[in-house]
Amino acid sequence: MTTTTATPTGPHVDHYPSRVEPEPSITPRRDPVAYPDTTGSLPHPLDTAEVERFDRDGYLVLEGLFGEDEAQAYLDELTRLSDRDDVSADPRTILEPEDDEVRSVFEVHAVSERFDALLRDSRLVDAARQLLGGSVYLHQSRVNLKPALRGKEFFWHSDFETWHVEDGMPRMRALSCSIALTENNEFNGPLMVVPGSHRWYVACVGKTPERHYEQSLRRQEYGVPDHESLRRLVERGGIDAPKGRAGSVVVFDCNMMHASGVNLSPYPRSTVFVVYNSVENALVAPFGVDEPRPTYIASREAAPVT
Amino acid sequence: MTTTTATPTGPHVDHYPSRVEPEPSITPRRDPVAYPDTTGSLPHPLDTAEVERFDRDGYLVLEGLFGEDEAQAYLDELTRLSDRDDVSADPRTILEPEDDEVRSVFEVHAVSERFDALLRDSRLVDAARQLLGGSVYLHQSRVNLKPALRGKEFFWHSDFETWHVEDGMPRMRALSCSIALTENNEFNGPLMVVPGSHRWYVACVGKTPERHYEQSLRRQEYGVPDHESLRRLVERGGIDAPKGRAGSVVVFDCNMMHASGVNLSPYPRSTVFVVYNSVENALVAPFGVDEPRPTYIASREAAPVT
């Protein structure tokens, strides 16, 4: 399963081996970023310049895609969720290691009707369809709370590397939307990206232990890129941390190298995070572990969003 | 020793009790910020606007006070120091908990002649004399290395609170200079300040254990301000993170609430940090512990810089 091949022959060929070799490596991406519309009938809410920017940089900021009143309504819903005892006790909920406050709720579209409606909103889905060149499904969704004056940092990583190795996502044809429910500023641990890094694949070292996800959502140990590869990517593209008011959305490619810092502001920072994957890129058996992660982390049903 | 009094009667009266009461409190500062020149003969390298800004905001950025070539020479000296086995083994050196890399070297003016010369440079000392209204001495000095792609964050704190409780600094008549040996930018964990916070004293809770400093330089547990006080200070003054090229200096009041984040850039971040205290504010017995911290952390000899 970890054999590379020059001619892609099917979804079970591993086009992006990682956690296999003893040394890290950095190689060019083998898939498009912005996919063409082969149907000729896809919605195209994004203009050509936006599509080109996404293709080149790997991300796009849609300032004010949602109104501040909408963001506030979703924030209220998030507060209600995080106060619910059944949500805290749900296996789909990740708690802060120190004090068991809610940090994330996975598969939030199944937990909350309001969030389900948000993640099927055409403002998001049509952009995803346009960029991925066809129908998409919800690969993952979650809400993230970064409590005021703490909240852990997330080290640099490519989501695709993990989704490929631990979930079996075969190719790079997925994107994430980070929907700000609170303002993103320099001090509250915003998303940081390395522009252009999505065009390179950093293979990591270390064999993944089974059921690794139970720890990895709290602390990262596998799928962590090496410092030399990171330095090379930052030397090419620098670092950007898109700021914006509540309701803004950052759309970024599945292989974008990204991170976020600690929230040192005295206000919580909340975001909704959703991954749209092309229905033509549905999951197969994981490329690096025997047992795939739970479906609330990586959906194995490629039911198109309608 | 922890009695407050309305009329200051001497250095052993505790004008700023902390870690005494069961609840935190926030009270106005009882000392000037920028002290007047009662001698009429002090140097005045700073103009009136700069002095007023320091007085109001609690800090001042002296962009390019040192040349980039000077900063590079000091950076080279720092690299030499951190490579020396005797420096790593020195009790004045603090190592990263994870891998024992050098994080800080205290009393660096006693360890290195070059750094001694830097910290006695008139560009720094004259500004300190002007702001503190007279002769000053070196209360503390250190070099800080924030390694690339890690390096711990420092939570919000007032240095004065610790210097008062653990070292016996009686009044607020000291300032710090943070000299950038590498560029400070948004991504490498720069100093963050709460403008105007120096005008308020946040008394913390929790009795300080003896020899607490052996752990506190690695991890903070005491002298940590409460979240409600921090929120009030940030609501008044916001947060600022002065950026600048190597050679720039941030001068900030001893009671300034400050913090710094993780270094998520792939480049190390290095600074020299020096505290000038007024010779009229020499240390007395600590206000919160029996045994004062070692003199390499807090000098007990108030020998004026000449």
Side-chain angles (χ1 to χ4, degrees):
Chain A
M1 271 214 307
T2 54
T3 319
T4 45
T5 169
T7 45
T9 54
H12 291 266
V13 175
D14 188 349
H15 296 290
Y16 294 105
S18 182
R19 314 189 202 176
V20 176
E21 301 296 333
E23 295 295 327
S25 68
I26 180 165
T27 50
R29 176 189 185 111
R30 304 176 66 179
D31 294 307
V33 181
Y35 281 72
D37 177 5
T38 53
T39 70
S41 63
L42 287 175
H44 42 278
L46 305 173
D47 63 31
T48 308
E50 286 174 316
V51 174
E52 285 176 358
R53 205 155 67 236
F54 180 80
D55 198 68
R56 182 192 67 206
D57 298 338
Y59 69 106
L60 207 53
V61 183
L62 303 177
E63 180 72 31
L65 186 68
F66 294 93
E68 295 201 62
D69 50 339
E70 289 179 283
Q72 184 61 50
Y74 289 117
L75 191 59
D76 294 342
E77 172 72 355
L78 176 51
T79 305
R80 280 190 293 273
L81 286 183
S82 62
D83 285 346
R84 268 168 48 187
D85 287 344
D86 63 321
V87 170
S88 292
D90 196 299
R92 295 173 289 193
T93 298
I94 311 298
L95 306 175
E96 289 287 336
E98 298 131 44
D99 59 6
D100 287 348
E101 290 266 321
V102 170
R103 179 202 283 179
S104 302
V105 180
F106 276 81
E107 202 177 35
V108 73
H109 61 282
V111 176
S112 152
E113 281 183 23
R114 279 171 194 258
F115 283 117
D116 186 58
L118 170 63
L119 304 184
R120 295 175 191 282
D121 190 294
S122 62
R123 285 169 285 183
L124 294 173
V125 177
D126 284 350
R129 285 192 188 110
Q130 181 180 3
L131 292 170
L132 299 177
S135 286
V136 299
Y137 71 97
L138 294 176
H139 168 71
Q140 185 188 96
S141 77
R142 63 175 196 263
V143 284
N144 287 337
L145 287 98
K146 251 192 208 220
L149 297 167
R150 70 205 151 122
K152 215 186 124 343
E153 80 273 10
F154 278 91
F155 191 71
W156 296 106
H157 64 288
S158 151
D159 287 329
F160 176 79
E161 194 273 347
T162 294
W163 298 342
H164 183 71
V165 172
E166 301 190 28
D167 301 331
M169 183 180 283
R171 308 297 297 235
M172 296 181 186
R173 196 174 181 177
L175 57 77
S176 300
C177 295
S178 172
I179 306 150
L181 300 188
T182 49
E183 178 195 72
N184 282 325
N185 63 47
E186 183 180 339
F187 306 111
N188 65 5
L191 178 74
M192 299 179 182
V193 295
V194 179
S197 60
H198 65 304
R199 296 196 163 273
W200 299 89
Y201 184 63
V202 180
C204 306
V205 298
K207 172 95 179 82
T208 321
E210 292 295 326
R211 301 183 72 78
H212 161 240
Y213 68 89
E214 290 175 1
Q215 287 310 312
S216 72
L217 298 174
R218 289 194 170 208
R219 219 183 338 268
Q220 294 163 299
E221 280 179 71
Y222 300 87
V224 178
D226 63 294
H227 290 192
E228 178 55 28
S229 298
L230 281 171
R231 199 170 295 120
R232 285 170 63 185
L233 292 170
V234 173
E235 268 159 23
R236 282 170 193 269
I239 303 176
D240 186 24
K243 318 294 189 303
R245 63 166 179 76
S248 298
V249 176
V250 184
V251 183
F252 59 104
D253 178 77
C254 59
N255 188 44
M256 171 61 87
M257 201 56 83
H258 63 288
S260 69
V262 176
N263 182 3
L264 281 168
S265 85
Y267 310 104
R269 172 175 171 267
S270 299
T271 47
V272 186
F273 185 82
V274 57
V275 183
Y276 300 105
N277 189 23
S278 168
V279 293
E280 294 175 48
N281 194 36
L283 302 192
V284 297
F287 291 89
V289 292
D290 293 332
E291 194 192 339
R293 299 193 298 175
T295 55
Y296 63 79
I297 298 177
S299 171
R300 307 196 78 82
E301 276 182 56
V305 181
T306 47
Chain B
M1 273 218 303
T2 53
T3 319
T4 46
T5 168
T7 45
T9 54
H12 292 266
V13 175
D14 188 350
H15 297 291
Y16 293 106
S18 183
R19 313 189 203 176
V20 175
E21 301 295 334
E23 295 296 328
S25 67
I26 180 164
T27 50
R29 177 189 183 112
R30 304 175 66 177
D31 293 307
V33 181
Y35 281 72
D37 176 6
T38 53
T39 70
S41 63
L42 287 175
H44 42 278
L46 306 173
D47 63 30
T48 309
E50 287 174 316
V51 174
E52 284 175 359
R53 206 153 67 238
F54 180 81
D55 198 67
R56 182 192 67 206
D57 298 337
Y59 69 105
L60 206 54
V61 183
L62 304 175
E63 180 72 30
L65 186 68
F66 293 93
E68 295 201 61
D69 51 337
E70 289 180 283
Q72 185 59 51
Y74 289 116
L75 191 58
D76 294 342
E77 171 72 355
L78 175 51
T79 305
R80 280 191 291 274
L81 285 183
S82 62
D83 284 346
R84 267 169 48 187
D85 287 345
D86 63 321
V87 171
S88 290
D90 196 300
R92 294 173 291 193
T93 299
I94 312 298
L95 305 175
E96 290 286 337
E98 300 131 44
D99 59 6
D100 287 348
E101 289 266 321
V102 170
R103 179 202 283 178
S104 303
V105 180
F106 275 81
E107 201 176 38
V108 72
H109 61 282
V111 176
S112 152
E113 281 183 23
R114 278 170 195 259
F115 283 118
D116 186 59
L118 170 62
L119 304 184
R120 295 174 192 282
D121 190 294
S122 61
R123 285 170 283 183
L124 295 172
V125 177
D126 283 351
R129 285 193 187 110
Q130 181 180 4
L131 292 170
L132 300 176
S135 288
V136 298
Y137 71 97
L138 295 175
H139 168 71
Q140 185 188 98
S141 78
R142 63 175 195 262
V143 283
N144 287 337
L145 287 99
K146 253 194 208 221
L149 296 168
R150 68 204 151 121
K152 214 186 124 343
E153 80 273 9
F154 278 91
F155 191 72
W156 295 106
H157 64 287
S158 152
D159 287 329
F160 177 79
E161 194 273 351
T162 294
W163 299 343
H164 182 72
V165 171
E166 301 191 28
D167 301 331
M169 183 180 283
R171 308 297 297 236
M172 296 180 186
R173 196 173 180 177
L175 58 77
S176 299
C177 295
S178 173
I179 306 150
L181 300 188
T182 49
E183 179 194 70
N184 282 325
N185 62 46
E186 184 180 339
F187 306 110
N188 65 4
L191 177 74
M192 299 179 181
V193 295
V194 180
S197 61
H198 66 303
R199 296 196 162 272
W200 299 90
Y201 183 64
V202 179
C204 305
V205 298
K207 173 94 178 80
T208 322
E210 293 294 326
R211 301 185 71 80
H212 160 239
Y213 67 90
E214 290 175 0
Q215 287 311 311
S216 72
L217 299 174
R218 288 194 172 208
R219 219 182 341 266
Q220 292 164 300
E221 280 180 69
Y222 299 87
V224 178
D226 63 294
H227 290 192
E228 177 55 29
S229 297
L230 281 171
R231 198 170 294 120
R232 286 169 63 184
L233 292 171
V234 173
E235 268 159 22
R236 282 171 194 270
I239 302 177
D240 186 25
K243 318 294 188 303
R245 65 168 180 74
S248 298
V249 176
V250 184
V251 183
F252 60 102
D253 178 78
C254 60
N255 188 46
M256 172 61 85
M257 200 59 81
H258 63 289
S260 69
V262 176
N263 181 3
L264 281 169
S265 86
Y267 310 104
R269 174 176 171 266
S270 299
T271 47
V272 187
F273 184 82
V274 57
V275 183
Y276 300 105
N277 188 23
S278 167
V279 294
E280 295 175 48
N281 194 37
L283 302 192
V284 297
F287 291 90
V289 292
D290 292 333
E291 194 192 339
R293 297 194 298 176
T295 55
Y296 63 80
I297 298 177
S299 171
R300 308 195 78 80
E301 276 181 57
V305 182
T306 47

